[in-house]
Amino acid sequence: MSEITFIIFAVVILIIVSTSFVSVKQGTIVVITIFGKYRRILTPGLNFKLPFIENVYSKISIQNRSVELEFQAVTYDQANVYFKAMLLYSVLDQQEETIKNVAFKFVDERNLMQALIRTVEGSIRAFVATKRQSEVLILRRDIVEHVKEQLDQILESWGYHLQDLQLNDITFDEVIMKSMSQVVASNNLKAAAENEGQALLITKTKAAEAEGNAIKISAQAEREAAQLRGQGIALFREEVARGMTVAAKEMAEANMDTSVIMFTMWTESIKHFAENSQGNVIFLDGSTDQMQHTLKEMMGLNLLYADAVKNVKK
């Protein structure tokens, strides 16, 4: 009997010892109750509890948790929008009041997840319902900020904090997606046509400018050439007149007839015609009267030039 009593006593002691210590993993908080009422929390490590009196009510992970969402919303212009999102959340902190909210606000984890998911979906649906289909794709960040603003207080009252909400995919009905693709394609074609038109306009403008500049340069060159030719002719005539004046003066001093000069010029002109003409026949009036008439005209021109030179010198 003594051996049986010892064995029973040893078993009881072993049970008491085994139930008096609780090992809590890192990233976990244990909630302790006494006869169903909250007593205290146990932090990571080896903890002591009263055997048979204190009970482990729940083990709460304080690590980040994620859940994937898929749901549908309707825009202001009655377009169906399909969302695929990833929700990242965690326990707000390790304070005792926060852990109590986490442990006792919901019956179990499944009910918490259901409430959390439905709350997020409802917030996004309410936001999307005020926007048009064309606006939804560019408001991804605004949707996330709206959800966080709406849910922060609610989740804090549950003991949780919304870390992040990522909208991984936003799609519409196939008909809408096709029409959106057509709009994008038409806008791209329009932009390409406008760019091509601008390029063509620039090309033609530059070509016209180049042509205009070429005409201006050519006209300037032609004007300068004509001016130089005129100056050359004027200088030639001036030199001829000066030479004839000197020759006539010398012949007058030598008592010689100055008409010889005119006769020489007449014969030189005929020689020039013969040498530089492209024809085979030159028709000239070689009569004495015609020669005298031509010589008189040339002498008259010479006198007019001499008078003009005198007037300039005066």
Side-chain angles (χ1 to χ4, degrees):
M1 291 293 295
S2 59
E3 292 181 358
I4 295 175
T5 303
F6 176 77
I7 293 173
I8 293 174
F9 181 76
V11 171
V12 171
I13 294 299
L14 182 61
I15 293 173
I16 291 172
V17 172
S18 63
T19 57
S20 297
F21 294 94
V22 178
S23 178
V24 181
K25 294 180 179 180
Q26 188 68 37
T28 304
I29 300 293
V30 173
V31 176
I32 299 296
T33 60
I34 295 180
F35 305 119
K37 183 180 179 180
Y38 171 79
R39 171 63 177 172
R40 60 194 175 96
I41 61 174
L42 302 181
T43 56
L46 185 62
N47 296 268
F48 174 80
K49 73 177 183 66
L50 297 175
F52 307 113
I53 298 176
E54 291 185 332
N55 295 313
V56 175
Y57 177 78
S58 64
K59 295 181 179 181
I60 299 173
S61 173
I62 59 174
Q63 296 174 313
N64 292 339
R65 284 177 276 183
S66 63
V67 59
E68 291 187 352
L69 310 178
E70 290 188 20
F71 56 94
Q72 174 188 347
V74 181
T75 62
Y76 178 78
D77 49 1
Q78 302 301 308
N80 292 322
V81 189
Y82 302 94
F83 290 93
K84 287 185 179 180
M86 191 276 291
L87 182 67
L88 183 65
Y89 68 100
S90 64
V91 174
L92 182 60
D93 52 49
Q94 299 184 37
Q95 296 182 8
E96 187 174 9
E97 193 63 31
T98 301
I99 300 302
K100 286 172 65 176
N101 288 334
V102 173
F104 300 108
K105 282 289 184 178
F106 292 92
V107 175
D108 53 26
E109 187 75 16
R110 186 178 63 83
N111 284 273
L112 167 65
M113 293 304 303
Q114 183 177 4
L116 181 60
I117 292 172
R118 293 295 179 263
T119 303
V120 173
E121 292 178 358
S123 179
I124 293 178
R125 286 193 178 105
F127 182 84
V128 172
T130 63
K131 305 299 178 183
R132 296 186 179 276
Q133 165 255 321
S134 57
E135 300 174 333
V136 173
L137 291 176
I138 61 176
L139 294 177
R140 188 186 299 258
R141 188 177 186 83
D142 294 339
I143 294 173
V144 173
E145 292 178 354
H146 172 78
V147 171
K148 294 195 65 161
E149 182 181 351
Q150 295 291 320
L151 292 185
D152 273 346
Q153 279 190 331
I154 298 175
L155 291 179
E156 285 180 9
S157 67
W158 297 348
Y160 290 93
H161 172 62
L162 181 62
Q163 299 279 4
D164 191 19
L165 173 65
Q166 296 183 6
L167 299 177
N168 300 322
D169 194 12
I170 301 177
T171 58
F172 299 88
D173 290 331
E174 185 177 354
V175 176
I176 296 177
M177 295 294 290
K178 186 178 294 185
S179 64
M180 290 173 66
S181 299
Q182 291 175 350
V183 170
V184 172
S186 62
N187 288 335
N188 290 338
L189 290 174
K190 179 181 177 182
E194 290 178 354
N195 292 335
E196 185 176 356
Q198 289 293 334
L200 183 60
L201 177 61
I202 292 172
T203 301
K204 288 185 174 295
T205 302
K206 294 299 182 182
E209 290 178 357
E211 185 177 357
N213 291 332
I215 293 174
K216 289 180 182 178
I217 293 172
S218 177
Q220 182 70 18
E222 182 65 26
R223 185 179 68 180
E224 292 178 358
Q227 184 177 1
L228 292 174
R229 285 196 296 270
Q231 292 175 355
I233 293 173
L235 290 173
F236 171 75
R237 291 175 178 174
E238 183 178 351
E239 291 298 324
V240 170
R242 185 178 293 110
M244 290 178 63
T245 301
V246 172
K249 183 178 180 181
E250 291 178 353
M251 292 181 71
E253 292 176 351
N255 295 322
M256 295 180 64
D257 189 359
T258 58
S259 60
V260 175
I261 298 174
M262 299 302 169
F263 179 77
T264 303
M265 293 178 63
W266 170 259
T267 55
E268 288 293 331
S269 299
I270 295 175
K271 180 181 177 183
H272 180 76
F273 294 157
E275 290 177 349
N276 296 281
S277 176
Q278 295 181 358
N280 296 323
V281 181
I282 300 176
F283 294 95
L284 292 173
D285 189 351
S287 63
T288 305
D289 294 338
Q290 182 63 31
M291 184 183 70
Q292 291 178 353
H293 178 70
T294 302
L295 290 175
K296 288 179 180 180
E297 289 181 350
M298 295 177 69
M299 291 176 68
L301 290 174
N302 188 29
L303 291 175
L304 288 174
Y305 178 76
D307 292 338
V309 172
K310 289 179 181 180
N311 291 331
V312 171
K313 290 181 178 179
K314 290 179 180 181

